[in-house]
């Protein structure tokens, strides 16, 4: 081989290696963000009809699998970059202390396996679930570190909530086959009726709070989420949920008055004000116009437990 040909081959080899290295180092963070984005959207929607527990085990399995894959891609990107960034704050330490508390309690449990992995209907309280959630928060702080990506996370959460809300409402009114594959006490992909409503209330208040102080106009599709939440509250008609809804809106309206200079347009206060007044009306003065028979959630207390014991004995 001629000398100049050998030099060209070596340079070409190094060029290909550097190109692949650069492409891989750019692709791995993107893969991590894609995995986390898929998890954010699918988590409120995902369920496996043929599993032992349609919702709890399904969501725990999805969480663990996606977080494991995201940790692999993030670790590989660290290996390529050769550096790691540290994010200050007390929130990660609080999460890991909480996971440590769950781990210590599982060590003294009568059934360590169930405490670590969870059992039917209680997977959310397992060490595995809380460790996966802590890793999820850790990956979010590193993968979505700039403002553009942070806005994308909230958008994905709202899209997942809208889809879950639409599916839940359609199931309640009997317009979807999910009622035949979901467990009997539930007609949504979140859990109990009250838990489903509380999830939508929290995400709707968050969405309206962001929209209230957003400097630019957001897509009108996000206005669907508060409407779905209000319709579900009319169907459920549970006073504690109405109170949470009203208090949350009152806080938003109070912030809009205190920080009025940060509200770009006064018209953004109209929707929260309408929902606030309507909530007060249906809580204190009027019964909801939508009457549908739904499975009720029974919260055990001392009197109810004693009544059950007396009936059994």
């Amino acid at each position: 081989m001629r000398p100049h040909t050998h030099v060209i081959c070596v340079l070409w080899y190094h060029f290909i290696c550097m190109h692949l290295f650069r492409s891989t180092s750019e692709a791995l963070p993107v893969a991590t963000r894609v995995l986390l984005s898929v998890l954010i959207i699918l988590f409120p929607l995902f369920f496996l009809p043929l599993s032992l527990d349609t919702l709890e085990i399904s969501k725990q399995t999805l969480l663990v699998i996606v977080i494991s894959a995201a940790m692999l891609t993030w670790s590989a990107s660290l290996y390529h970059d050769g550096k790691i960034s540290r994010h200050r704050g007390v929130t990660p330490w609080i999460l890991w202390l909480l996971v440590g508390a769950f781990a210590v309690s599982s060590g003294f449990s009568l059934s360590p396996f169930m405490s670590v992995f969870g059992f039917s209907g209680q997977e959310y309280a397992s060490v595995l679930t809380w460790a996966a959630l802590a890793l999820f928060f850790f990956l979010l702080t590193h993968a979505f570190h700039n403002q553009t990506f942070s806005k994308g996370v909230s958008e994905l959460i709202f899209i997942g909530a809208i889809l879950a809300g639409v599916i839940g409402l359609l199931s309640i009114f009997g317009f979807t086959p999910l009622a035949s594959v979901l467990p009997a006490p539930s007609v949504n992909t979140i859990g109990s009726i009250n838990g489903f409503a509380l999830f939508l209330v929290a995400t709707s208040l968050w969405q309206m709070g962001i929209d209230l102080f957003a400097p630019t106009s957001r897509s009108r599709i996000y206005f669907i989420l508060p409407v779905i939440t209000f319709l579900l509250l009319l169907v459920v008609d549970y006073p504690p949920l109405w109170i949470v809804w009203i208090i949350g809106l009152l806080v938003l309206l109070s912030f809009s008055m205190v920080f009025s200079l940060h509200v770009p347009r006064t018209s953004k206060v109209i929707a929260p004000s309408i929902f606030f007044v309507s909530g007060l009306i249906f809580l204190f003065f009027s019964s909801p116009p939508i009457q549908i028979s739904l499975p009720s959630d029974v919260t055990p207390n001392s009197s109810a437990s004693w009544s059950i014991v007396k009936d059994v004995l």
Side-chain angles (χ1 to χ4, degrees):
M1 182 180 292
R2 297 179 180 179
H4 68 277
T5 305
H6 176 73
V7 172
I8 292 175
C9 290
V10 172
L11 293 175
W12 181 250
Y13 170 78
H14 283 287
F15 172 77
I16 292 176
C17 289
M18 291 299 295
H19 179 72
L20 291 176
F21 182 84
R22 185 173 64 252
S23 300
T24 304
S25 62
E26 293 175 356
L28 288 173
V30 174
T32 304
R33 287 193 289 269
V34 169
L35 288 170
L36 294 177
S37 301
V38 171
L39 177 62
I40 292 172
I41 292 181
L42 289 184
F43 192 74
L45 304 171
F46 189 75
F47 69 95
L48 297 174
L50 300 179
S51 62
L52 179 63
D53 190 337
T54 307
L55 296 176
E56 290 278 350
I57 294 179
S58 304
K59 295 184 185 298
Q60 185 191 51
T61 303
L62 176 69
L63 177 66
V64 172
I65 291 176
V66 176
I67 290 300
S68 300
M71 281 297 297
L72 287 176
T73 56
W74 181 76
S75 301
S77 66
L78 289 183
Y79 175 78
H80 279 281
D81 296 338
K83 61 181 181 180
I84 182 174
S85 59
R86 295 181 60 185
H87 295 267
R88 298 181 179 179
V90 297
T91 305
W93 294 104
I94 294 175
L95 286 175
W96 288 115
L97 285 175
L98 185 61
V99 173
F102 274 92
V104 170
S105 63
S106 65
F108 295 95
S109 174
L110 297 177
S111 179
F113 179 84
M114 289 187 176
S115 298
V116 173
F117 296 98
F119 51 95
S120 180
Q122 299 292 325
E123 285 82 5
Y124 65 90
S126 66
V127 178
L128 179 62
T129 300
W130 280 97
L133 290 174
L135 289 175
F136 173 65
F137 180 82
F138 175 80
L139 290 172
L140 279 181
T141 57
H142 287 80
F144 296 91
H145 49 81
N146 57 38
Q147 189 175 5
T148 302
F149 291 142
S150 300
K151 290 181 179 179
V153 172
S154 61
E155 303 289 339
L156 293 173
I157 293 174
F158 298 148
I159 292 174
I162 290 173
L163 294 176
V166 170
I167 293 174
L169 276 183
L170 291 178
S171 299
I172 289 174
F173 289 103
F175 295 119
T176 178
L178 287 184
S180 61
V181 295
L182 286 172
S186 177
V187 289
N188 60 83
T189 58
I190 300 298
S192 65
I193 294 295
N194 292 340
F196 176 49
L198 186 61
F199 166 74
L200 290 184
V201 166
T203 51
S204 296
L205 293 173
W206 182 13
Q207 186 269 322
M208 285 189 288
I210 292 178
D211 184 67
L212 190 63
F213 297 97
T216 58
S217 299
R218 294 160 56 87
S219 176
R220 293 183 179 180
I221 190 174
Y222 296 107
F223 187 70
I224 298 175
L225 183 57
V227 173
I228 292 175
T229 303
F230 189 75
L231 290 176
L232 183 63
L233 290 175
L234 291 177
V235 173
V236 177
D237 192 24
Y238 187 48
L241 291 174
W242 280 117
I243 293 173
V244 173
W245 175 252
I246 291 170
I247 292 176
L249 291 172
L250 180 61
V251 171
L252 287 181
L253 293 174
S254 301
F255 271 92
S256 66
M257 289 186 290
V258 174
F259 303 100
S260 58
L261 296 178
H262 298 279
V263 178
R265 291 191 304 274
T266 310
S267 58
K268 289 192 172 186
V269 188
I270 296 177
S273 301
I274 294 175
F275 286 128
F276 175 74
V277 174
S278 302
L280 289 175
I281 292 174
F282 287 113
L283 176 63
F284 294 108
F285 304 107
S286 176
S287 60
I290 305 176
Q291 300 292 334
I292 296 178
S293 178
L294 294 173
S296 58
D297 296 339
V298 179
T299 303
N301 51 35
S302 299
S303 59
S305 301
W306 177 244
S307 177
I308 293 173
V309 170
K310 289 191 297 182
D311 292 339
V312 172
L313 298 178

